[in-house]
Amino acid sequence: MTTILTATADLPVSADALYAFLADLSNHRAFLEPAVMNFQGEPDRHSYLLEVMGMKMPQELVAKTRIPGQLVSLVPGTRKLFDHELRFELAATGEGCTLRLVDEADIPMMMAMMGAEKLLQGQLDQALARIQELAGEGKLA
């Protein structure tokens, strides 16, 4: 397993508000697009197409664990590239909360040789940056 994680970001929203936003997977469109195509979301799952090296790859994630104000974790559904668990780790602070994204991934050797870890790191960093923007703009509702 490979662990890929972002820096920890300070956000100007409560952990409960951020949790409510992240726990409903249909809200993930706000920080995944425009990097993904054909996003379809429901409260417990979402799917989309991800373009990697000119290939459109279907991805589906479903909610695995939800701990209010602390954690939302997702795992692949029926359409998956490889086994992994994506965690949104939240913690309350005096003036808001912190957020870190962690992906525990079982990257196949061929994908690893093609730079999958670097690609995943970029996707996580981009998602975190977009969530920070949305929080700063008051759009996490």
Side-chain angles (χ1 to χ4, degrees):
M1 280 288 199
T2 301
T3 301
I4 303 165
L5 52 94
T6 65
T8 300
D10 292 311
L11 302 177
V13 297
S14 72
D16 290 335
L18 181 59
Y19 169 81
F21 175 79
L22 293 172
D24 181 345
L25 275 55
S26 67
N27 291 331
H28 291 203
R29 173 190 305 266
F31 63 85
L32 289 173
E33 289 184 339
V36 303
M37 299 168 277
N38 299 343
F39 181 93
Q40 295 182 7
E42 300 171 15
D44 296 325
R45 71 177 54 244
H46 60 54
S47 62
Y48 51 85
L49 289 175
L50 183 62
E51 189 166 338
V52 180
M53 296 172 34
M55 297 181 293
K56 292 181 179 168
M57 303 181 151
Q59 184 80 352
E60 179 184 37
L61 294 171
V62 298
K64 176 184 175 190
T65 306
R66 292 181 176 119
I67 302 172
Q70 296 177 37
L71 175 73
V72 174
S73 74
L74 312 177
V75 294
T78 56
R79 292 184 274 171
K80 66 179 176 179
L81 299 174
F82 49 84
D83 288 323
H84 67 109
E85 181 174 346
L86 173 61
R87 296 190 313 267
F88 295 85
E89 299 176 344
L90 299 77
T93 62
E95 296 146 17
C97 70
T98 61
L99 173 64
R100 179 173 71 170
L101 281 64
V102 179
D103 202 340
E104 298 280 348
D106 189 11
I107 301 172
M109 181 68 74
M110 190 62 154
M111 291 181 81
M113 290 173 32
M114 295 172 65
E117 186 175 337
K118 189 173 184 176
L119 178 66
L120 283 171
Q121 183 70 59
Q123 290 173 338
L124 292 182
D125 290 341
Q126 184 178 20
L128 179 63
R130 185 67 185 126
I131 292 167
Q132 283 181 286
E133 287 176 25
L134 292 167
E137 296 167 359
K139 295 181 179 176
L140 292 183

